[in-house]
Amino acid sequence: SRDWSSDVCSSDLDGSAPAGAGLRLVAGLGWPAGSVVRVVTAIDVGTALFGGPWPTAAITEAANVEEALRDHARKVLDGALPVLATAPGLAVETAVLDGRAATVIVAEADRWGADLLVVGSRGHGPIDTMLLGSVTAEILDSARLPVLVARTERVTRAVLAWDGSAAAAAAATIVATWPILRSAAIRVVTVLDSPVPWWAATMEDGAPELVPAVLEAVDAARAEHAAMNRTEVATLASAGLEAEGEVREGDPAHALLAAVSDWGADLVVMGTHGRTGLARLALGSVARNVVHHAACSVLVVHGPAEPGVGAAS
């Protein structure tokens, strides 16, 4: 069945605890009939083995080392089947891929026509030191399909980052239309980065007559963002979702992370603007900060590419 936009999911599995969280999250989502999940893991082959922890063996017994890695990968994939078997009506396929993990996983998702790529995260530690695993980070930068970084085992409360951009609209469409998010409560969060207009910094000292104009501009910016937020909440509510809104002020990434923490959300859905060049889409700074530091799962949706323009989210 292909009557919704995320009925196929490609999941990266390497046997680690973060990848296991991804499996349990996939198993717990409400998949419609006909959905298929393809669980994949990657192994180094050929000359790539020379850089591993067994270079001597790789040179003298390359075939044996490669086969041992392949056998281990198959066992890891077999271990995933009982977890996913708990999801009613979900068909499961597995595959061992040969090559650099990030490269071959993204290529397989494209080849297979996946609508969603689920990856684990090795993030750990406090907010200022939490880092993504290198494979997950590379997948986020290079994949053009939505990528779900799994850190939680369920989705009951989801924050939608909303700024009215094309990238945010792409993320909002997923929230409104994907059945796997239908049961989640949605909080639309809009962040006003700087309520004080840029031209206020050019005001001369001792010009009190301009203060009312500054205050008026601040009020207008707040009203504009509040109206933007209300409109999206109404759109999601008309789609049958339980939705509410919130406007915050400050650094966008920090404000989003605070909103997630304060509400106890287990998912953030956000768009990121693509930038062309080197045949890849790079995450914008806000999306990168959120996906690195959020304690919950993050669904990143790439919006239309914008040549030469830095990403705002």
Side-chain angles (χ1 to χ4, degrees), residues 30-298:
W31 299 97
S35 297
V36 183
V37 59
R38 185 171 179 82
V39 189
V40 303
T41 191
I43 62 170
D44 289 330
V45 294
T47 57
L49 292 173
F50 299 163
W54 40 76
T56 302
I59 295 172
T60 61
E61 300 183 56
N64 292 337
V65 171
E66 185 176 314
E67 188 56 34
L69 291 174
R70 196 177 305 280
D71 286 343
H72 174 72
R74 292 193 190 101
K75 291 177 181 178
V76 170
L77 293 174
D78 288 343
L81 298 179
V83 179
L84 295 175
T86 62
L90 183 64
V92 181
E93 302 176 0
T94 62
V96 178
L97 309 177
D98 294 346
R100 291 184 66 256
T103 301
V104 298
I105 288 169
V106 172
E108 177 67 6
D110 290 339
R111 184 200 67 77
W112 194 55
D115 298 301
L116 176 66
L117 182 54
V118 183
V119 294
S121 167
R122 287 188 174 82
H124 55 83
I127 190 170
D128 56 347
T129 61
M130 187 177 291
L131 297 174
L132 285 179
S134 59
V135 173
T136 296
E138 187 175 342
I139 287 174
L140 281 165
D141 271 347
S142 58
R144 287 158 175 78
L145 72 165
V147 178
L148 175 59
V149 180
R151 293 191 175 109
T152 53
E153 298 183 8
R154 61 179 183 174
V155 175
T156 58
R157 291 187 170 194
V159 163
L160 169 64
W162 179 250
D163 62 4
S165 66
T173 296
I174 284 178
V175 171
T177 61
W178 281 19
I180 58 175
L181 299 178
R182 297 299 296 179
S183 62
I186 308 298
R187 175 168 289 189
V188 180
V189 176
T190 300
V191 179
L192 177 56
D193 191 354
S194 176
V196 177
W198 64 269
W199 49 261
T202 67
M203 291 171 47
E204 296 182 4
D205 294 337
E209 68 277 4
L210 295 180
V211 172
V214 174
L215 296 178
E216 182 179 348
V218 169
D219 289 342
R222 287 173 173 154
E224 178 184 3
H225 281 69
M228 179 195 311
N229 187 274
R230 288 193 301 271
T231 298
E232 183 55 28
V233 169
T235 298
L236 295 179
S238 66
L241 295 170
E242 177 188 341
E244 60 185 57
E246 178 184 8
V247 178
R248 294 198 173 214
E249 297 181 10
D251 174 80
H254 289 171
L256 283 170
L257 290 168
V260 168
S261 177
D262 292 348
W263 194 46
D266 39 36
L267 176 68
V268 181
V269 185
M270 62 188 312
T272 183
H273 302 283
R275 293 180 294 175
T276 58
L278 301 179
R280 61 187 287 167
L281 295 175
L283 284 186
S285 59
V286 176
R288 185 173 298 279
N289 284 334
V290 170
V291 80
H292 271 263
H293 301 308
C296 65
S297 299
V298 183

